[in-house]
């Protein structure tokens, strides 16, 4: 999985994280979201790098697009069993202090855009078909959860009226304690929402 030059994976992670990071994690965040999507039934998944690089796992989940939020990760081209090329999007964030809030906002807006439309491409583009979206970082515990929590707060305010409600939902799905996401990511998320950098609640 860790091809030289593509990933800068930390070596000093807790043993439990290290064991988990080698297996695909793909979690359906909300189920069908037809009301918020121009693509009926499109779903968004929370996951990790191993999931983003596992063609069989992506195929089984119906995922054809990935948004990588790791500045230190560079998932390569990937073909699914039917010849579909996975579309890769990336907005690199540091898992900790040092991010500009506009970068986090850009990631949230990207999720909004990908969930709200489908670009059919052109004849010379790699073959592609509509499918679900995977939002991932290395482990799917901090950066991805932060971005998806802001997206849920802004795009599904009836179910998630504030960031804390969205975080509780994602932590429950992912099996996380209060230590994730990391505090600097949560501070950033609250700033993005307070300043309206990713739009206001109620948008698709």
């Amino acid at each position: 999985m860790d091809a030289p030059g593509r990933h800068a994976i930390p070596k000093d992670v807790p043993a439990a994280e290290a064991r988990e990071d080698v297996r695909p994690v793909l979690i359906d965040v909300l189920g069908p979201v037809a009301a918020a999507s121009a693509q009926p039934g499109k779903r968004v998944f929370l996951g990790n790098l191993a999931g983003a690089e596992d063609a069989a796992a992506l195929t089984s989940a119906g995922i054809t697009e990935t948004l990588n939020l790791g500045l230190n990760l560079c998932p390569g081209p990937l073909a699914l069993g039917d010849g579909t090329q996975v579309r890769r999007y990336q907005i690199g964030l540091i898992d900790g202090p040092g991010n500009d809030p506009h970068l986090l906002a850009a990631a949230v807006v990207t999720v909004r855009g990908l969930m709200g439309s489908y670009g059919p491409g052109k004849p010379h583009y790699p073959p592609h078909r509509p499918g679900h979206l995977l939002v991932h970082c290395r482990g799917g515990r901090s950066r991805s959860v932060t971005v998806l929590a802001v997206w849920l707060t802004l795009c599904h305010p009836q179910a998630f009226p504030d960031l804390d409600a969205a975080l509780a939902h994602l932590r429950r799905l992912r099996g996380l304690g209060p230590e994730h996401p990391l505090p600097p990511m949560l501070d950033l998320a609250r700033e993005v929402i307070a300043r309206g950098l990713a739009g206001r609640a109620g948008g698709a």
Side-chain angles (χ1 to χ4, degrees):
M1 182 182 74
D2 189 10
R6 288 204 300 119
H7 306 313
I9 304 295
K11 306 300 183 186
D12 57 348
V13 300
E17 287 188 13
R19 289 192 298 270
E20 184 182 68
D21 287 350
V22 299
R23 64 176 181 83
V25 172
L26 302 171
I27 300 170
D28 189 344
V29 168
L30 206 57
V33 291
S37 173
Q39 304 168 67
K42 184 171 185 179
R43 306 201 303 270
V44 61
F45 285 72
L46 164 67
N48 63 355
L49 176 62
E53 296 192 314
D54 189 313
L58 295 176
T59 299
S60 178
I63 294 167
T64 62
E65 300 173 324
T66 68
L67 172 60
N68 167 33
L69 300 173
L71 183 63
N72 57 314
L73 311 174
C74 297
L78 184 66
L80 304 180
D82 63 357
T84 297
Q85 291 286 324
V86 175
R87 282 186 179 171
R88 302 289 203 192
Y89 300 87
Q90 177 164 347
I91 296 180
L93 296 168
I94 300 165
D95 192 14
N99 296 296
D100 187 282
H102 293 88
L103 276 177
L104 179 62
V108 175
V109 171
T110 299
V111 175
R112 274 183 147 163
L114 292 174
M115 291 303 293
S117 64
Y118 176 70
K122 295 183 176 182
H124 62 283
Y125 286 12
H128 194 262
R129 58 178 169 79
H132 305 314
L133 170 65
L134 168 65
V135 178
H136 76 93
C137 46
R138 175 177 62 86
R141 289 176 285 262
S142 189
R143 289 168 284 193
S144 302
V145 171
T146 302
V147 167
L148 286 172
V150 176
W151 176 74
L152 287 173
T153 304
L154 297 179
C155 296
H156 296 276
Q158 290 186 330
F160 307 100
D162 55 38
L163 185 67
D164 289 335
L167 286 168
H169 171 71
L170 292 168
R171 283 170 173 150
R172 184 168 55 253
L173 288 179
R174 186 65 182 85
L176 300 174
E179 69 278 5
H180 288 109
L182 297 184
M185 301 305 297
L186 296 180
D187 291 342
L188 199 67
R190 298 189 192 282
E191 180 179 357
V192 166
I193 292 173
R195 294 174 60 185
L197 297 180
R200 299 296 177 181

